[in-house]
Amino acid sequence: MHEITCDLLVIGAGSGGLSVAAGASQMGADVVLLEGHKMGGDCLNYGCVPSKSLLASAKVAYGQAHASAYGVADQAPVVDYAAAKDHVQDVIATIAPVDSQERFEGFGVRVIRAYGRFVDDRVVEAGEHRITARRIVIATGSSPLVPPIDGLADVPYYTNETLFELRERPEHLLIIGGGPIGMEMAQAHIRLGSKVTVIEGDRALGKDDPELAAIVLDQLRGEGIEIAEGAQAETITSTEAGGIRVRTKDGRQFDGSHLLMAVGRKANIDKLNLEAAGIETNRAGVVVDDSLRSSNRRVYAIGDVAGGMQFTHVAGYHAGVIIRSILFGLPSKAKTNHIPWATYTAPELAQVGLTEAQARETHGDRLEVARFDYHHNDRALAERKSKGLIKVMVVKGRPVGASVVGYQAGELVALWSMAIANNLKMSQVAGMVAPYPTISEVNKRVAGAYFSPRLFDSPMVKRVVQFVQRWLP
């Protein structure tokens, strides 16, 4: 066993672990990075990058079939599903060098390609190495959650970790799970020529504002996707024709050729032997405090494995939080109120902070909701992307949440993350100047909508203006 001593040990080379390792090493720390699988983690290899790449192929196909509104003849797209998957792999290969072992070794990080396992509170074994570290960061991410549905183990099925290896287009794709992953892959496949059925035990896109989610679901149904809500899968069997059959608890039955499980994620903690290090866990992952420290004060957990919001950008944010504590010994805490998320269907669906329902429950009568519809935005009209709206939840003149559905919603929500993170007032957002014509004007216009009643419906304002006008030369 080869003994190694270092300042910082990072377990997991996904987005969070890579950010910590690169930052700490470049600022002078002695860093060891462990990765037993692929550099870049889930996001690069199985998640964000491949899913958005496949959606891009689907968008092109859809555009060919819906071009007449722009003065271009509609054409039925000829889809080569395998070539679309080649596009996905090409994008992954293009990004991969940024996350490569060689690049991080160039930063001075010692990279060991093995899984880590705790043997005590500050020692981890990985392959032939025994590593003693002053501080340890668990950044092992998450994996697809596959629930114990009766019969599932006896039929072939896909998860996000295997779907992108599929080379033959599914004739009829059944998707169990109506969250972001399920709905994105549903729209990608309907546009690439598959028949698609989504089976959701509760409400599809259930974590988002229902009013905005309904706009997305109407679009998806309009494209031909069958979305069955309140449909809890009970049994899964093979059909006589070699397909898949899903029966739900309320007696409904759905037949298809392929099955995608997209019901959620589970933290990757099974290989870590956390008990040996005195690290407390729960069903969501490693239990951490506001500083992202575990019950073992030498050990931090970030990203999906920390049991909170499971997004790549959260892992990157967590990395920045703990760098301050680990390298400089300064207090640093993670917040969640400014963390946005987006579902990259068309139209997109994005959220930051409190939804309207959450804000009403928290703030009651103090809440004001400013709204603006996309169909009043000239760029959206020019692009024929005018279906959508934005809602901003405001308390005492400051935004506490924003919900956006429509073209480039994921881009628009970033401004509201900045506003909430910096405790900005609506007047400061209203004071920005957006180039015309752009979708970004939606943000300025919704801030203006907040002030419109105060300016245009106020008798006091009218009296003041009339008084001033009488005295102006």
Side-chain angles (χ1 to χ4, degrees), residues 44-45 49 86-98:
L44 172 63
N45 297 290
V49 172
D86 289 339
H87 157 67
V88 170
Q89 294 304 319
D90 182 64
V91 174
I92 293 172
T94 301
I95 298 173
V98 178

Side-chain angles (χ1 to χ4, degrees), residues 135-272:
R135 294 289 183 269
I136 300 172
V137 176
I138 301 172
T140 48
S142 63
S143 301
L145 173 65
V146 180
I149 301 173
D150 185 29
L152 179 59
D154 299 322
V155 301
Y157 64 89
Y158 293 89
T159 68
N160 73 293
E161 290 188 349
T162 56
L163 178 65
F164 299 105
E165 299 172 1
L166 180 64
R167 303 287 294 176
E168 296 181 3
R169 181 177 61 200
E171 179 182 344
H172 186 171
L173 180 63
L174 302 178
I175 301 175
I176 296 183
I181 295 173
M183 304 316 293
E184 288 179 4
M185 289 301 95
Q187 190 172 46
H189 281 82
I190 198 79
R191 290 182 167 190
L192 292 173
S194 298
K195 186 177 180 181
V196 179
T197 300
V198 177
I199 304 163
E200 166 56 44
D202 191 4
R203 179 170 63 87
L205 298 174
K207 293 184 178 180
D208 289 281
D209 183 293
E211 180 185 10
L212 276 63
I215 294 173
V216 176
L217 297 178
D218 285 348
Q219 173 67 31
L220 298 182
R221 288 187 171 108
E223 292 186 23
I225 299 171
E226 180 183 8
I227 303 173
E229 297 179 286
Q232 188 73 42
E234 184 173 44
T235 63
I236 300 176
T237 59
S238 297
T239 64
E240 292 181 0
I244 305 292
R245 175 169 294 158
V246 177
R247 288 190 176 91
T248 62
K249 290 184 178 180
D250 60 2
R252 283 179 278 181
Q253 177 176 298
F254 305 93
D255 288 0
S257 61
H258 294 69
L259 175 63
L260 171 64
M261 298 300 298
V263 297
R265 311 282 298 172
K266 63 176 181 179
N268 292 331
I269 59 175
D270 293 344
K271 292 182 173 70
L272 293 171

Side-chain angles (χ1 to χ4, degrees), residues 277-356:
I279 297 172
E280 183 182 352
T281 63
N282 57 22
R283 292 180 63 183
V286 177
V287 177
V288 296
D289 61 16
D290 289 343
S291 66
L292 301 172
R293 266 181 164 161
S294 73
S295 52
N296 178 339
R297 304 303 289 171
R298 294 181 181 274
V299 179
Y300 296 75
I302 64 172
D304 290 6
V305 78
M309 302 170 79
Q310 294 181 328
F311 306 111
T312 296
H313 50 279
V314 172
Y317 165 65
H318 283 174
V321 170
I322 67 169
I323 282 285
R324 176 184 174 93
S325 174
I326 289 174
L327 297 188
F328 301 104
L330 299 173
S332 186
K333 294 184 178 181
K335 301 185 298 180
T336 59
N337 65 328
H338 67 303
I339 300 294
W341 69 85
T343 300
Y344 297 94
T345 47
E348 293 181 2
L349 180 60
Q351 176 70 40
V352 65
L354 302 177
T355 64
E356 181 177 356

